[in-house]
DNA sequence: TTGGCAATCTGTAACGTTTCAGTATATTGA
DNA sequence: TCAATATACTGAAACGTTACAGATTGCCAA
């Protein structure tokens, strides 16, 4: 009896996630007392309560959700029930619907784990891994040297990234070929006689920033066009900032006669800035823009458009994670989506 | 020993969700055998396997997630990690972020439960209730007589609806005052001299369809304007359909000189249709439109805009559900968001 | 007959938590 | 001094599942 007790807790204190039993052993109390002390039950002595809570905080105790749920029936889950049809122009909803589609006839649930700009992006990942809250993880905004991917690889939790990394580590991903997008975009603009091109880039630091910039540069030299630098903003900036900077740029002596834009919302601001400067789309300047839902041509029919399908991305990412969980080789779960042709919606000018 | 066994299972077979023990009792087998039979383990006789699976299907056995998770560590959860900043123009993502914000410092997780147009909307709700997968539920696309709300009320699971019901039952909700929106919109158009107004309605059948239509009608008689019927489409129709129908409408002899539109994406189509008919926004016709993110004024500065904040809606809904779970009275968890003033972004015409 | 083996099936323990029904000790009132 | 009571703590059981280590039966070879 005594031996068993000790074994158990030596093991526990070594590696595993701490449980009430661990805390009980450390404090020398019973698990019941610990449980009650943590929830401020009245029949626990003030000092004991403080002591238990201190130790719990120190070793980072977090109650096991399955234990609580099994015992009490409390799930600590809020469900948001969504209709998957008819939703428009949104990275987030498209990805969610794509994932949902794939896991619909599996026993899996989709939880959304948010984090904000001010937080370390690693925080939510750490939480998921430490609490064992998920069998698999999908992340976006992937960087060439991505701490999150590295962390998950080290901890052996299956995941998929939206966008590639560049660390010499192999893991599932889905990516849009932004190099090809930029190349096609530049070629198209060049074919229309545009020679001074500017790029409204993806967020600096993300992997596809590099892909896009390189594709842009490669194609520039291919077609013999020149770049007008426009690095004061990226698609991550606010609509107002992009608009203002664009207007400034277009009022200069040497200004671009063509743009490549990496996001639809940013393109709206781009056009507004161009028009603020008194110039006209289709006459003074042309734009090739990515979009994820079919709305830009309504905005200005002169826009040249390349579609990126985020719903597909969501599906692919879900498939990859499930595949990895199911034992497939991570290296076999990578996919790249190639851009379709540049679409022109321009109608006759009256 | 025997007595206890019988007690237990009489209780179980009466009301509760079936477990392995229930199945074991019904088939006369041990729980281990049942467990293995259900997962096609090789050491179970073929007939027994079929028998168990038949009974399981008949009584709708579904494994308890907490039990599986506790025993095996398998969560059956996929986490989608999202950055909550910078996302634009989307009902879904705004709601999600709003909810996330509120539950961020609670122990709650947010799961997304999708359903498609082809399914009975009650299906996902039934699943959630029957499997006890959530402590609280948020639904949208609320109807005056909403089967989902009624069902959840009957089954005692806390929920909140985005939009009100009209069944004489009390439950938490958050709603935007669409009656007030329609009234303000009509008043504004009337003040600009517009007299023949059309309404691009919300989806027929949803509660706020009625609110909007009534507000529109009330204000029409107040200002003495007349309605040009436009009931062939709603904002639920496709961009193309709205555009085509609008163009048809605008080519008629008696056509509206003002529109009220219930959604931003639909407004894009509306404008396109108007321009297809050779008419000009601001000259031949004015539009007051709702939007949920600040983009429409870039599209056409002549548009008149009322903002609806879905992120706020998400927060309020989450707060309501948590409040109900926490024991607050459902009637005290209702909120109505009043529309701000109609915004005009029109700049000087050159 | 015996031993061995395959084919089926079963009881027990364990995952981590909370609740129930206590036990031990100190404190109080008479 | 004794019983009653309050205070502080504890072990065992249970939630539903699966893994482990048997148990039972029938059959076959020796």
């Amino acid at each position: 009896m005594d031996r068993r007790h000790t074994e158990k807790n030596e093991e526990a204190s070594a590696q595993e996630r701490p449980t009430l039993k661990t805390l009980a052993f450390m404090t020398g109390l019973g698990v019941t007392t610990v449980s009650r002390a943590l929830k401020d039950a009245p029949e626990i002595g003030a000092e004991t309560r403080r002591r238990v809570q201190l130790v719990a905080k120190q070793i980072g105790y977090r109650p096991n959700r399955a234990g609580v749920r099994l015992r009490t029936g409390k799930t600590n889950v809020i469900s948001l029930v969504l209709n998957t049809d008819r939703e428009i122009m949104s990275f987030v909803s498209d990805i969610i619907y794509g994932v949902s589609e794939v896991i619909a006839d599996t026993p899996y649930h989709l939880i959304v784990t948010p984090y904000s700009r001010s937080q370390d992006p690693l925080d939510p990942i750490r939480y998921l891994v430490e609490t064992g809250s998920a069998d698999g993880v999908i992340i976006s905004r992937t960087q060439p040297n991505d701490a999150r991917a590295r962390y998950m690889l080290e901890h052996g939790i299956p995941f998929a990234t939206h966008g590639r990394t560049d660390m010499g580590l192999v893991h599932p991903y889905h990516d849009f070929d932004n190099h090809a997008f930029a190349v096609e975009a530049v070629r198209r603009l060049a074919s229309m006689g545009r020679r001074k091109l500017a790029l409204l880039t993806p967020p600096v630091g993300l992997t596809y920033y590099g892909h896009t910039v390189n594709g842009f540069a490669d194609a520039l030299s291919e077609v013999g066009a020149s770049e007008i630098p426009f690095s004061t903003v990226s698609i991550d900036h606010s609509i107002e900032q992009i608009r203002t900077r664009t207007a400034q740029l277009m009022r200069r002596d040497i200004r671009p006669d063509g743009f490549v834009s990496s996001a639809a919302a940013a393109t709206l601001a781009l056009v507004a800035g161009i028009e603020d400067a008194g110039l006209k789309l289709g006459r003074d300047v042309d734009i090739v823009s990515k979009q994820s839902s079919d709305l830009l041509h309504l905005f200005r029919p002169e826009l040249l458009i390349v579609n990126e399908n985020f719903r597909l991305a969501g599906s692919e990412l879900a498939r990859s994670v499930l595949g990895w969980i199911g034992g497939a080789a991570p290296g076999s779960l990578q996919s790249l989506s190639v851009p379709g042709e540049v679409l022109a919606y321009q109608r006759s000018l009256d």
Side-chain angles (χ1 to χ4, degrees), chain A residues 156-212:
Chain A
I157 184 175
F159 67 97
T161 61
H162 186 223
R164 283 162 285 179
T165 58
D166 188 16
M167 314 183 283
L169 299 177
V170 36
H171 59 82
Y173 64 76
H174 176 83
D175 204 354
F176 181 81
D177 189 342
N178 286 285
H179 185 281
F181 158 68
V183 167
E184 288 306 320
V186 168
R187 282 188 188 145
R188 178 55 178 256
L189 290 170
S191 78
M192 302 170 76
R194 302 303 186 182
R195 279 287 168 275
K196 294 174 296 179
L197 307 184
L199 174 64
L200 181 48
T201 69
V204 182
L206 305 194
T207 312
Y208 85 110
Y209 170 84
H211 294 154
T212 309

Side-chain angles (χ1 to χ4, degrees), chain A residues 6-18:
Chain A
T6 326
E7 267 183 70
K8 200 78 221 181
N9 280 283
E10 272 172 359
E11 181 199 352
S13 63
Q15 286 289 3
E16 313 293 338
R17 189 149 95 92

Side-chain angles (χ1 to χ4, degrees), chain A residues 37-72:
Chain A
L38 287 177
K39 46 177 57 65
D40 290 318
E43 63 268 66
I44 301 296
E47 193 204 309
T48 306
R49 198 205 324 279
R50 275 201 313 277
R51 197 158 60 91
V52 170
Q53 294 182 350
L54 177 74
V55 177
K57 189 152 300 168
Q58 285 298 323
I59 66 173
Y61 168 76
R62 290 242 200 54
N64 178 302
R65 303 190 125 233
V68 176
R69 180 164 173 179
L70 183 56
R71 179 64 237 246
T72 64

Side-chain angles (χ1 to χ4, degrees), chain A residues 1 12 26 44 78 90 101 130 133-134 155 170 176 179 194 233-234 239 257 261 279 308 340:
Chain A
M1 193 207 278
M26 294 179 76
I44 301 296
I78 300 290
S90 163
E101 225 168 79
E130 284 171 5
S133 291
H155 288 78
V170 36
F176 181 81
H179 185 281
R194 302 303 186 182
V233 284
S234 75
I239 294 295
D257 56 8
S261 168
L279 301 174
E308 176 172 6

Side-chain angles (χ1 to χ4, degrees), chain A residues 194 196-198 228-230 242-259 269-281 283-287:
Chain A
R194 302 303 186 182
K196 294 174 296 179
L197 307 184
I228 309 292
F230 188 39
I242 297 175
R243 179 176 185 168
T244 310
R245 298 292 183 190
T246 304
Q248 286 172 4
L249 178 71
M250 298 311 285
R251 288 194 179 103
R252 295 232 267 282
D253 291 337
I254 29 175
R255 54 173 167 76
D257 56 8
F259 277 95
L270 201 56
V271 171
I274 288 168
E275 295 175 354
D276 287 345
L279 301 174
K280 186 165 168 8
L281 190 64
R283 186 190 64 193
D284 305 306
V285 61
D286 276 300
I287 301 180

